[in-house]
Each structure stands twice: as C-alpha cells, then as structure tokens.
Amino acid sequence: MIIVLRPHVTEDELSQVVEHVRQLGLTPHVSRGVTRTIVGCIGDEDRLREVPMLAFPAVETVLPIEKPYKLAAREFAAGNTLVALGTGGGAVGDGAVHVIAGPCSVEGEDMLRRTAEAVKAAGASALRGGAFKPRTSPYSFHGLGPEALDILAEVRAATGLPVVTEVLDTRHVALVAAKADCLQVGARNMQNFALLTEVGDAGKPVLLKRGLSATLEDLLLAAEYILARGNPHVILCERGIRTFERAVRNTLDIGAVPYLKQETHLPVLVDPSHAVGRRDLVPALALAAVAAGADGLLIEVHPDPDHARSDGDQSLRLEDFGELMDRIRAVAGAVGRQVAEAPVPHALAP
Amino acid sequence: MIIVLRPHVTEDELSQVVEHVRQLGLTPHVSRGVTRTIVGCIGDEDRLREVPMLAFPAVETVLPIEKPYKLAAREFAAGNTLVALGTGGGAVGDGAVHVIAGPCSVEGEDMLRRTAEAVKAAGASALRGGAFKPRTSPYSFHGLGPEALDILAEVRAATGLPVVTEVLDTRHVALVAAKADCLQVGARNMQNFALLTEVGDAGKPVLLKRGLSATLEDLLLAAEYILARGNPHVILCERGIRTFERAVRNTLDIGAVPYLKQETHLPVLVDPSHAVGRRDLVPALALAAVAAGADGLLIEVHPDPDHARSDGDQSLRLEDFGELMDRIRAVAGAVGRQVAEAPVPHALAP
Amino acid sequence: MIIVLRPHVTEDELSQVVEHVRQLGLTPHVSRGVTRTIVGCIGDEDRLREVPMLAFPAVETVLPIEKPYKLAAREFAAGNTLVALGTGGGAVGDGAVHVIAGPCSVEGEDMLRRTAEAVKAAGASALRGGAFKPRTSPYSFHGLGPEALDILAEVRAATGLPVVTEVLDTRHVALVAAKADCLQVGARNMQNFALLTEVGDAGKPVLLKRGLSATLEDLLLAAEYILARGNPHVILCERGIRTFERAVRNTLDIGAVPYLKQETHLPVLVDPSHAVGRRDLVPALALAAVAAGADGLLIEVHPDPDHARSDGDQSLRLEDFGELMDRIRAVAGAVGRQVAEAPVPHALAP
Amino acid sequence: MIIVLRPHVTEDELSQVVEHVRQLGLTPHVSRGVTRTIVGCIGDEDRLREVPMLAFPAVETVLPIEKPYKLAAREFAAGNTLVALGTGGGAVGDGAVHVIAGPCSVEGEDMLRRTAEAVKAAGASALRGGAFKPRTSPYSFHGLGPEALDILAEVRAATGLPVVTEVLDTRHVALVAAKADCLQVGARNMQNFALLTEVGDAGKPVLLKRGLSATLEDLLLAAEYILARGNPHVILCERGIRTFERAVRNTLDIGAVPYLKQETHLPVLVDPSHAVGRRDLVPALALAAVAAGADGLLIEVHPDPDHARSDGDQSLRLEDFGELMDRIRAVAGAVGRQVAEAPVPHALAP
C-alpha cells in the first residue's frame, strides 16, 4: 500500500504517519518526490486495508497495491478451474463453449420438458429454469417455488440434463441444493453476503451473476466469499450492467470477458438475454460473447414466449434457439473451439 | 399503457395486437399518427405489465402510464407518513429534522455508550450502530453479531435513545426486531426480496437504504414490498449512487430528496457519511440535505475514528458532530424547521 | 406525443391542456384510464417537442412517440447507406468487414509509411492517423498539425490507402477535407454542433464517434446534423462509454451494434482500441464486434508502441495486427462475411 | 508515479523497467512487497505520464501520484481566485453568494429587459441569456445569434447588469467577447479544446460548465487549458451529470461543491435548472447548493415559461425567482454568508 501525503507536509506529520504504519506491524519506506512525499508500506497489506489512514490530515490518498481477492486471483491457481455439472461430457472452463438454456421460470412440467428436449437436441449442456424469482415489483409472478424444484428434478431425470436454478433466501439453500446441480446467485443478491456464505457451504457448484452496478473487483470479492468457505466450484456470469444508456435494458460489458479470463482462473459465462432484454438482439450478443472468449452462455428459451409468465420479451423460441446454436458452432470453430457435450447429472450417472 | 407500433404496420399486424389486448381484459383504443400508430390500453395496467408485447414484431415499444408502485405513491395516502421510533418526541416525517447518529459498527459497550451520550447531548434523536456488517471482502470485520445487539439494548436502556441497526439475513430478523426500534435494510440488500418480505412481517419500523444502482422507482418498489406486508412504517434513505465519478466514494443524489417528497408520502433521510466516504466533506452534504428538504440524516460518529474497525475515514469525531449539529440547527431554522427531540423507546416508556 | 396528466386532475385543468395542444395545430385525443387521464396528440410531433408542457401543473409527464431523428432512421432509407472512401474495393456498409488501422498520431513520415504498408499487406482497407489530437491535458502532445496532413497525403499517394483523420476546429475543416478521404469527428466533439454543421458542408465522408456519455439517440441526432446539411456519407463508430467500471478504460457497448443496425441505415464501426485502452484485450473485442455484426473496425497500430507519443498502451504492434487480421477473417467467414478490399483514394484513381 | 509489477516478475523484466525509467530521466526506487514488486519514480512525473509503461508485459498497473493539473490546483495559488464580472459589487469567489439569472435563450428585447429588471430587483448580480444555443437536435431553435448579442448589450447598458452568454464556435469568440462580460463554455463543449484555447486568449472571464460525463479531474484539466493561456478568470459550474437515474434529467453532483472548494482555488457555481430540468425542483437544489458552500448559482428565469422557445419546463417565473431569492438569503445567512451585490459592467463603469 502506498500512502500519498499532501504537499507541504511537515516533518512531524510525516513522523506520525510513519509511526502509525510501524505500529501496525508493517515497514514504512519514505520516498520524497518533487511535490509529494509518499510512504510505501511493506508487509501484509490486509492489515492496512481496514485502517482509516485518511483520518490523518497529512494523508491525501491511499493507493492499494495488492488485489483484495486472493483465492479468486489467477496467480493463486495453477490453471483454469473446471466446474463440472455432472459426469461425462465436459466441465465449464475446459475450453469448449457450454450453453445453459431454458425458460426464465418453470411454469409447468410440460413446458419445461418440451424446452429441455429441444435445447438438448440443439446442443445445450444444461437446463436453466427459475423456481424462486426475484422481481422488482411485489405484484409480479415470483415463481412456483418448491413445486418448480420437483418439476426440475423430474425433467432432469427424464432428459439427463443437469439443472441450474436460482436460490434467493438462506433458508432455501439446502432445499435447492438437494435438487439442482448448480445453484445460481442472481445479480440482485451478488452482495447478499449471508447467501454467499450459505451457498459456499452447500457443496454444489455456484453460478454467480454480476450485480447491476458491481465492479469486476466486487464480483471477484463476491466469488471470494464462496471460495473462502472451501467451495472452489464457482462460475462467474456477466449479464449486463446499469449505465446511462437505456436503448436496451442493460449494457453488456463484453470487455469483462477477456479481462476476467486474465484476472481469474474461474470460468466466465455471458447471459445475453438479461443484458439486452429483447429477443431479436440476443443472437448478436451471444456470438460476440463466444468470439470474445466466454466459457459459455446462459440463454432464455421458451416454447411460447408470447404467453410466458416472465421475461417473454427476451426469450428465444425453440426453433430460434436451434438456429442460434448452429451459428454459435460456426463462430466457436472460427476461434478454435467447439460446443461442449452435455454431462450426465451426478445422481443419475450409473 | 401505450403500445407504439412500428411504421408501416399492416392491418393484420394491428388486429393481432388489438385482439391480444382485448383477450387480456383491457380495452384497446387505436390512434393513427403521422408516422406511427399507437394502441392505448384502458383497464388494469398491472395485467399488461407482465405481458411480453415486444414479442409481436409489429410492436416498437411499450410506454407504461401508471406507476408500478401503489401503496408507496403519494396519491395513495392522505398526508405524510410519520414513523415514530418511540413515544414522546417526534416521528420521522413530522417536518422536524431527525438525526440518527452513531458508529458504523458496535465495537464494545464503552465506545457505544460514550458515543450515544455525546450524540444525544448534541441533539441526535436516535442511535445507529451495526451488529451485522455487510462487507465487500470476506476478510473484513463483519461486526460483533448477537453480542452487539445486547450492547445496543444496554445503551438504549441507559441513554433512552431509540436504536437503529441493520439486518442482513432472513434468519436474523426476529432476533434483531426483538432488540432494536428500527430495522435497517442496507443498500446491498435493497433488492433482497426475501429480506424485504421478512422485515415487512416483523412489525417494526424499517429504514430502507437505496441500492447503489437502484433507480428511485426501484427504491419505491422495494418499499412497496414492505408496505404490501401490512407494515406502513418505512423510512427511505438516499446514501449515494454509483456513477463514473470516483473523486469521492459515491455521488449523493441530492435531487432524490425533493423528487421523493413529491412522489411518495414516506419520509426521506440522507446518509452523507456513506455517500462521500470522507469525514471532511460530510458536513457540507449534511447541510445540503437539510436545505433540500430531507426529513433527517443518518451520520456516522465515532469516539476515535483513527482506530475504528470500519468506516473510520468517514466517521465524525464526537466534537465535530456537536459542531455540525449547531450548523444543522441554523440551516433548519433558515428553511422554517427545527431539529427533532428524541423520543423514548417503546419498551422503556413508562 | 402522449401527455399523461396527474391523478385527480380537474375538468378545467384538462381543458387548458387540450386547448393548448389545439392552439399548436395538433389534434388532441383524450382518453381516461383507471387512475390517469392521457391526451394523445395527433399531428406534427416536432411542433410539440419544444413546447414546455410540464409548465402545466396538471401534466405529470410527456411521452414522445416519434423518434426525434428523421434522416438517420432506417425507415427513411430504402436500404443500407454505403460510404465509399475511394473507388474500386468496397464501401463501408456493403456487408464486408472494413478495417481502418494506423497510429494514434502521425509522428513522422517513416513511421506512418511503415505502418501503412504493414496494415495494407495485412488487409486493412484504410489508414487512420491523427494530425490534430484532442488531449485531456493541455500539457500532452497535440499532434503535428498541418505537417501531419502533408505526411498523410504522401503516404496515401505512396500506398494507395484512403486516409481518415480527425478534425477538431471549424477553422480546420477545409484544410483537412482537402487532404483526407474521410473526416473523423471525435468522441469529445460529438455534440460540437458547429463542427458537425461544418463537416456536413465539407462534402467528404464523416466518421462520427460516439461521445463517452452519449445515448444512441444522441449519436443519431448528431448524425442528423450532418445528414441535414445534405451530406449522406456518415459512418457511426462505437468506441466505449463511460460507466462506473474502471477495470478497463471504457465499457464497449457491444449491444449498440445490433441495435444501431436495426435503427439506422448508416454503417457502424467499432473501435476496440479506445474502448479498452489495453493492447492485450483489443483482439477479443475486435472479434466480438465482427461477430456482433459491425461493418468494420478502427484499430490503433504502431511500429514501436513502447515509444509512441500517444496511446502506446493500446496500440498493436505491426505483427500483432497481422495475426489479428487472420483471426478476423476466420470469424467474418463464420458469420457469412469477408474482409473488404481496399479502395483507391478518389484523387489517385486513374 | 508508482509502477506495480505483476507477481513472479523475473530479475530481467525488472531491470528492463528500471532501465526504461532511468532513460526517461527519472530515478527509480525498487521496493519488494510480499507478493508484488513496485518501482517508485522520483522526478518530473509529467515526463512519465505519456509513456506507455503497460507496454512492458511485467507491468500490472501504473499509479500516478501527482495531480495532472497544476495551475488549477489549490496549492498553486495563495488564496481563492476572485472573478469580477464588473467593478464595484463583489467578485465571484469572495465568499458571498452570486446569483446569475436569466432566460435560456434571448428571444427578444422586451422579454430580456423585463427579466433583467426583475432578477436585478430580486438580487441577481448578473444576467444570463443565450445567443447561440447548442441543441441535441438540428431541428430545434438555435438562438437568435448575433442579434441576441446586440439585445444583451442593450439590456446590459439599460440595467447595468453584467452579462454571461455562451460561445459555441472558435470563430465567434471575438464577437461574443466584444459584447459580454463573461464567456460561457457549455457542458457539451467542455472538452472542445480548440474552443478552450480560444476563450483562454480572449481576455474575458470564462464560466466553464462541467460535461455530462466529465470527472472532476477532467473539469479541472479543462480549466487548466484556459489558465495555461494566461487567463486566470475561470469560474467552474456543476450542472448535473449523466447517470443511470432518469427520474429527473441529470444527477446534481452536490458533493462536487465541497470537493472542488478543497481541490482548487477557482470559484464554483451550481446550475440547478439544467441539473433537474423541472421548475418545481429547482428551489430545493438551489438551497442545497448554497448550504453546501457554492460560490453562487446559475438559474433560468423566464417571464412566460409556458411559451419559452427553449427550456420552458425548467425556467422559473419572475415571481418564483423573487421568492426563491428570499429563501436563498435565509440559507446564506444560516451558513454565515450573504447574497452578493451586482457589480457594474466594466465598459459602463464611470
């Protein structure tokens, strides 16, 4: 950590800061520039992170050097983390393009089974579907709840597709973990630290979506909460951020993909459906994500979007999804990759 | 709701949209402009809100007319909602300036008692103090937890100041509600809908902080979650939003104060400490908030900020707070208001 | 335009609004909803756009129906606008991927010629290079000015590559237009309306970059300034917007590409270099842009980035650019497109 | 400047960086932390600012220590800069509250004279009024141009109020400077560096408005352009920034006021009218600005806002302005200040 002092700081003020750093168990290195004096602090930066150095009037600013996340940093791991949602097939992060597709919410068994069969046939490697839905308005449809979990389990057994579903409440984690192959933490709960801790303890892979105004550092620190509980199976997901632009729902931060791939060993998915909020623009963003190096995609698909109970505007029809998969295969091939095979959910594996 | 059709829409496409609106139980009114045809929909707009009208290729955009929040809207209530944190003294929303002050986190009984006595003497009407702290990093101090709740209860009994403290987890709501006069929902949990529902059911006043990237509509919808559970005692709190500007920590949206006062009957506080993140700039923003019409302030105060375990950089010293209260009194007077008296916590009232 | 009235509006207040609309030469259509009354206005919406309807206390909000841009709107043109930077070869907007490459600033003839030859050999169809550089600090290098224009002209003659260069000042437009094949208006000048008008009159193609906080509507209105002067040859360029995220310099709004391709007939380029500000992340964003449907790319290339006088951090080395072009070709092929051939600058054509 | 190296950097890579710093004429100081090695650079930081250090693969990030602006920095000047718009009366920056009021655009002599007389009577110390108007759409009213300058000069002579008006084009600077007491550079031109240079040379005070997405550092660097031309009379103006919140037009960054007062010696105004875009919310923001320590206000006033040719929605009526001035006086008094007297324009002074 570098402490930058204000111009014209006195010797006394400098001594005070230096002494404080020393008391914290770090070694201060004073260096005088043309207009500013700085104090470099050697030692465990974490001990300084919480210290209110701005409390000293002589301090102008404090520049951290170390990254605040450890387990999530690329340098922590030998290679890419692979997150398998089942056995056989591939694992997210293995270089192939993993496509997780399905409806926004589980509205019934028939619609889910039809969707699952169609996305599996088209090449998806897992099924998404919401049982508990976080909605901006209390008057919106909030999902079928536990009943939807049962439907997901049935369709999972019938089709052999691993299942990803969101969990909203610490009290539901065990319930959801018992039925799903992967627990999703949604954008609005990315900094629900109680929930992060709980899914960290649940022993299942976690799909962690970036918050609407979360920096990439915030996202990696949220992942760190899960990793710190001993659960290494975290998949990050860029799903659009909130900016001044409202022509489409959110701004897909495509630059987050190559940045995160450098910065962390965790796999990175992109959710073009939530980012753009309009079905007709989903394919362009899905292809862009693959070209940019994403480990996979999370895409909303519905057998009858016009009558969907949530997110109908952004859900692809079954046939559109099939067509998009062909285009994804072409772009994946152009960047030396291929679309992943679906694994078999653990409990179903022979 | 107004449905705007694309230019050159055919009669068939128009009929499809009109028919769909009718099936939803609304009355469509077609109106042809120079380049666009629009369909106004008369009836319960909520029935249309969830309907994916963009699924129709003929639809260019959909413009809502009704506000999505009902109970939070000013027109719903006869006058301003008053939220009393105790008996005697005033209620937040009564026109006086209510100042809630205290440390970021409860670090021990002595420091809390000293702070409470000082802020009470200076004119604060309630005490804040964190027992459970949401922190961006898993390695930061997360508060003393249940022990801090006990300390808050003791200091509350000793000083007669009502207590506001944050709750992070649905499983802690009953515990916190048993000890505190007001439950705070923090910025990161503003859209933790499970938590909103739970505090809505807890029967205590709720201080709801605006999320870092929450629009004011989002904030009012979050309040609606609590109101819809039958709990009318919601205080809103502007605490800075995340923007491109990083000179100070967040951007205090001062315009939110007069906007919310028009738009809702709920009281509106401002938290200048979290907005700006630097002690030296807190007073200017506190005074601005009072001048802009805020119902009160939430201010971090610490007896020894240089050694605070969290938020030391932004906490006022006890004497600075006293001085600020004098300036707040002057500005309040200039806009025809006064600083509120502290009420006595309910359980303590004779 | 739809005028939404406040709840509980009186008949008198309604009449006032209706009368005002009528006086403006529009036909008002009153429609009463459950809680709101609205007034639809049929006629030339432009006459209403400037009218301060919020001045009426009865008016809650005003919703425009028509797009404020006309000439830039897709429905205005029969097909895609093609912007040729020379003769032979293709025109931007023709479906091929046009790559405009070169150094941030022209630093001398030798470096420009080397760069031009390398990017031409690699498949670029035009050369970029700054003569006048807008810089955030007055103490930064501001380009070689007129001397650089001469160098650009020489290298253009020697290599046969069309030249794109920025113009900053209305007084320089004629000078720049005399030497370059395409005038660039930079992000910081996107709403320098005097400059837009002047380049509109200059009779040369214009490359218009999106401002850092310009909405896509703002961008299309800036294009409208140029189109309204009778110059139809406008190329739009997405180059990253300013958001809360600072991990990389700006946030490339990849969704702008498919959105603009729907909304306007003008061609759309992407500048990954300025968006991300770091050489190592440029290729991923360049490929994403092609996959998303951009008409081309604007890429910074320098023979010796370590010693570049501006933007060295984000400039590709000559060999890196060659390699990237191979990858661009592959992705272009995967989406049914190819990289464009370079045209010959007009004056040089036989 | 501090150069932070990547973890596990080799001795060779370190030597390369150190050597490069030395070649630039700076003295490198290597310091090894627990996981990162850093290189502090002592010497003229400006020489390093433009150097593309990220070009070295060993470099993770570069942290500037010095502020990039010099003349605008508080430490450069002995005290506050005072900008007098005439003789007698006060100067902006002298501690009093200076209110500059008038219509968005000059629509004729009669309306301007009525407005000027009313705002003078109410206590404004200067008159604003646009002759050249920057408008997002080419089809909007762009001001009366030179005719409006003549009207401003007449009303200035008649009322003795100094005049502030915007200049948009480098070619108009001399013309505007001949008639006005202060040249305004608008938000959209804040980084029109050709214009900044030209108004720097014009020898008149400059009112520099913050760009919609300009950081405060960008604003101070824009001021630096003017200061560097030898013109010390620069007034900064916060007028709202563009954020995700669209409930009101822009987000007034009230924290910018105390931050800038610390960071620079230049005076700071606030324009609540453009920030909020709605007349009814202007007073609350005006009072907040005074409470936060602004040196003055820029307020739009119109004798008949319902028929204004621009910005009618946000213009105060004459009587509303008078009432607001009374409230401003009260808040100014509460923070130990008063409303400034109007000076007499220089040419009119006896």
Side-chain angles (χ1 to χ4, degrees), chain A:
Chain A
M1 189 166 283
I2 305 289
I3 300 169
V4 183
L5 302 181
R6 295 190 184 277
H8 318 307
V9 67
T10 64
E11 281 303 313
D12 258 24
E13 291 174 319
L14 174 58
S15 302
Q16 264 191 311
V17 170
V18 162
E19 189 45 38
H20 198 75
V21 169
R22 206 167 271 138
Q23 279 173 15
L24 292 161
L26 294 123
T27 310
H29 281 233
V30 177
S31 165
R32 291 163 199 276
V34 177
T35 67
R36 292 284 191 293
T37 297
I38 66 174
V39 183
C41 307
I42 309 296
D44 180 4
E45 185 163 314
D46 286 336
R47 301 176 69 166
L48 207 49
R49 203 177 295 281
E50 307 274 295
V51 174
M53 291 305 304
L54 292 179
F56 292 86
V59 175
E60 183 171 281
T61 187
V62 172
L63 304 169
I65 300 297
E66 315 272 327
K67 301 287 172 63
Y69 41 86
K70 311 288 172 208
L71 306 176
R74 179 162 280 290
E75 64 233 45
F76 177 83
N80 289 327
T81 287
L82 305 190
V83 183
L85 303 184
T87 58
V92 185
D94 65 5
V97 176
H98 295 256
V99 181
I100 304 174
C104 172
S105 35
V106 175
E107 298 170 12
E109 184 174 355
D110 181 60
M111 68 78 73
L112 189 67
R113 186 187 291 251
R114 279 181 58 207
T115 308
E117 283 164 358
V119 302
K120 186 177 187 186
S125 52
L127 176 67
R128 60 153 288 154
F132 301 98
K133 299 298 307 171
R135 304 303 300 276
T136 303
S137 165
Y139 309 121
S140 297
F141 172 59
H142 283 73
L144 298 181
E147 183 194 339
L149 292 178
D150 291 336
I151 296 174
L152 281 165
E154 283 162 38
V155 173
R156 175 177 176 267
T159 61
L161 272 186
V163 155
V164 181
T165 196
E166 183 165 356
V167 60
L168 296 179
D169 190 328
T170 48
R171 296 170 299 190
H172 295 161
V173 171
L175 183 68
V176 177
K179 308 258 174 157
D181 301 284
C182 179
L183 305 180
Q184 180 178 314
V185 174
R188 285 169 187 76
N189 280 311
M190 194 203 82
Q191 292 193 315
N192 178 342
F193 301 118
L195 186 63
L196 294 176
T197 301
E198 205 68 19
V199 299
D201 288 344
K204 285 271 175 146
V206 178
L207 175 57
L208 177 65
K209 299 187 91 173
R210 182 184 184 183
L212 265 78
S213 65
T215 62
L216 295 172
E217 187 178 295
D218 289 344
L219 173 62
L220 289 169
L221 279 166
E224 190 87 4
Y225 264 89
I226 303 168
L227 299 172
R229 302 304 294 189
N231 182 346
H233 297 116
V234 179
I235 303 169
L236 306 175
C237 183
E238 160 63 30
R239 46 77 73 216
I241 57 174
R242 189 165 264 182
T243 70
F244 64 83
E245 179 61 72
R246 294 293 183 91
V248 300
R249 197 166 55 180
N250 291 125
T251 300
L252 182 70
D253 181 4
I254 191 75
V257 176
Y259 178 84
L260 287 172
K261 291 303 292 176
Q262 275 205 358
E263 200 63 22
T264 181
H265 50 88
L266 299 172
V268 179
L269 297 192
V270 167
D271 174 348
S273 308
H274 281 87
V276 78
R278 276 173 50 175
R279 179 186 315 148
D280 55 348
L281 304 186
V282 167
L285 296 194
L287 299 177
V290 173
D295 290 298
L297 297 163
L298 195 63
I299 297 181
E300 289 195 346
V301 179
H302 195 285
D304 183 11
D306 303 6
H307 295 90
R309 297 188 66 180
S310 57
D311 284 358
D313 285 336
Q314 74 200 32
S315 298
L316 296 184
R317 296 173 208 285
L318 303 183
E319 58 274 23
D320 298 336
F321 178 73
E323 216 174 273
L324 173 57
M325 285 301 290
D326 290 339
R327 298 168 70 191
I328 288 172
R329 250 175 231 108
V331 172
V335 294
R337 303 168 63 194
Q338 53 187 15
V339 168
E341 297 293 310
V344 178
H346 282 286
L348 301 180

Side-chain angles (χ1 to χ4, degrees), chain B residues 10-23:
Chain B
T10 65
E11 281 303 313
D12 258 24
E13 291 174 319
L14 175 58
S15 304
Q16 263 190 310
V17 171
V18 163
E19 190 45 39
H20 198 75
V21 170
R22 205 167 272 138
Q23 280 174 14

